[in-house]
Amino acid sequence: MVRTVDWANLIGRRLRLRDLHVFSTVVQSGSMAKAATHLRVTQPAVSKAIAELEAVLGVRLFDRSTRGVEPTIYGAALVRCGAAVFDDLKQGIKTIESLADPTSGDVRIGCLMSIAATALPPIIQRFAQKYPHVVVHHDELNFITQQLSGLRDRKYDFVVGRLAKPLTAGDDDLNVEVLFHDRMVLTAGTHSRWARRRKIDLAELVDEPWILPGPDTFNYARLSEAFQAHALPMPKASVVTLSMALRARLLANGPYIAPFQDFSLRLLGADRSAIRILPVDLPDRPAPMALVTLKNRTLTPVVERFMEHIRDYIRPHAGWPPQLPAGPKSQQRARRR
């Protein structure tokens, strides 16, 4: 007969936050002795806390050796659980603080470089005018894998990034809100001989000096697809950079061709007037730009307000609701709306 465990009663009576904290410290330290030093307690006290946790859960949490300790599969599961528990508590405390003072707090963002360089500055400025005591923490991340990793580690409240490929079943812990669909365009300076052309074949641009991103980026992959579709070799780079500012200045003053994201180009500011989108036929491969949060994670009111500022800023610039990729199914969905 299977034993029924009253986990709610067991956890409420015997599982203590202090023991979870000790457990997490042991995992991070890799040894009981180092954890004891960090916690400023004795090693027997650490060992006792771990033994009590193992007794409550009925499993071994660590494999012990002369080199220290390593979490078992049960310990690894508790690591993830403990991170969520402490994060929820911190979020709850922040929510309580925001109820006392709804105009203060922290917002932590992981954001795509192109958004950080164009849309984020005016969003932060508008937000700061209404909530001057809120601190915005921002990390510029160019790859969605970095963004999602930081989100799952609860380093960020939310991330804004490009979904270069569909999410999988392993991403069912995420809330994904598509803000708009972006497209790659090819650009040159307004002084360029290409800027006056009404139609350009991609083959004509192969031997031009190019500003390219790194080969592991979205724009490079889309550009490679375009040249392959026309049975053309990938052009050689004269400059390799991810910097939008550097691309814009080089285009404005030099003979270069460069890929840009359409949305970012529209928000580029003063440098935009010196850049022309070239009339080149490219495969229609729009990429969704999304605001991503963790499911079942309570966000503080001030974070919710910041995300609303993002939506309010994006709507007039990108169209709302987001434009769907071209195609029969997309057109059907658009008509149903």
Side-chain angles (χ1 to χ4, degrees):
M1 183 176 178
V2 178
R3 183 171 65 98
T4 302
V5 179
D6 184 358
W7 286 110
N9 184 56
L10 187 63
I11 291 172
R13 289 175 177 271
R14 297 187 58 188
L15 192 62
R16 299 179 298 179
L17 285 177
R18 178 182 178 278
D19 293 340
L20 278 178
H21 178 57
V22 171
F23 167 78
S24 298
T25 306
V26 173
V27 172
Q28 294 169 7
S29 302
S31 82
M32 302 281 188
K34 290 180 181 178
T37 301
H38 180 79
L39 294 168
R40 297 181 181 179
V41 298
T42 64
Q43 184 173 340
V46 171
S47 299
K48 181 181 178 183
I50 298 301
E52 289 178 350
L53 263 180
E54 291 178 328
V56 169
L57 298 174
V59 294
R60 190 177 75 254
L61 297 175
F62 289 103
D63 287 326
R64 295 157 175 83
S65 70
T66 55
R67 292 175 295 179
V69 295
E70 285 285 337
T72 62
I73 57 172
Y74 310 110
L78 189 59
V79 168
R80 295 189 293 271
C81 171
V85 167
F86 283 111
D87 178 68
D88 284 344
L89 278 173
K90 286 189 289 186
Q91 292 295 103
I93 291 170
K94 288 179 181 178
T95 299
I96 292 170
E97 290 174 343
S98 69
L99 291 173
D101 183 4
T103 64
S104 66
D106 294 90
V107 178
R108 301 182 183 276
I109 314 167
C111 188
L112 185 70
M113 185 180 295
S114 59
I115 296 295
T118 54
L120 196 57
I123 291 171
I124 291 177
Q125 289 166 4
R126 292 182 183 186
F127 186 80
Q129 290 174 357
K130 294 188 68 175
Y131 306 103
H133 303 299
V134 174
V135 180
V136 178
H137 305 261
H138 166 253
D139 282 345
E140 191 172 89
L141 305 171
N142 201 48
F143 303 103
I144 192 66
T145 51
Q146 295 175 315
Q147 296 166 349
L148 296 184
S149 175
L151 183 65
R152 289 183 168 118
D153 291 341
R154 290 168 165 76
K155 182 178 179 181
Y156 308 122
D157 296 310
F158 63 89
V159 300
V160 180
R162 182 188 298 115
L163 302 181
K165 58 183 179 180
L167 297 179
T168 65
D171 299 313
D172 60 1
D173 59 333
L174 304 176
N175 287 314
V176 177
E177 177 186 343
V178 175
L179 298 171
F180 61 94
H181 286 86
D182 209 356
R183 287 174 171 80
M184 185 186 73
V185 295
L186 298 185
T187 61
T190 53
H191 63 280
S192 168
R193 64 190 178 97
W194 300 108
R196 296 182 292 275
R197 292 276 297 272
R198 293 186 178 181
K199 185 173 177 59
I200 302 172
D201 290 330
L202 195 59
E204 298 179 82
L205 302 177
V206 171
D207 296 324
E208 292 297 298
W210 281 78
I211 306 169
L212 295 179
D216 53 352
T217 59
F218 175 83
N219 274 350
Y220 190 96
R222 296 292 79 80
L223 196 63
S224 178
E225 285 182 6
F227 278 92
Q228 287 177 12
H230 289 78
L232 296 169
M234 187 72 173
K236 294 182 179 179
S238 297
V239 180
V240 178
T241 182
L242 289 174
S243 169
M244 289 182 60
L246 180 58
R247 265 182 290 166
R249 296 297 174 85
L250 289 173
L251 286 172
N253 298 289
Y256 301 101
I257 308 294
F260 253 100
Q261 290 305 116
D262 181 53
F263 179 81
S264 301
L265 190 61
R266 279 182 272 150
L267 298 180
L268 197 57
D271 289 332
R272 172 67 180 91
S273 61
I275 298 174
R276 182 69 53 85
I277 295 177
L278 301 181
V280 182
D281 185 26
L282 297 174
D284 190 18
R285 286 290 305 276
M289 195 69 69
L291 190 157
V292 187
T293 58
L294 276 181
K295 289 182 179 177
N296 303 319
R297 187 188 187 202
T298 303
L299 297 175
T300 62
V302 74
V303 172
E304 296 280 7
R305 292 188 186 105
F306 193 94
M307 292 194 300
E308 193 56 39
H309 271 67
I310 291 177
R311 298 182 188 105
D312 289 343
Y313 184 82
I314 293 295
R315 285 169 183 161
H317 290 93
W320 198 266
Q323 296 299 309
L324 291 168
K329 292 183 179 179
S330 297
Q331 292 165 4
Q332 290 170 13
R333 288 195 296 270
R335 283 197 294 270
R336 284 199 296 270
R337 284 205 305 268

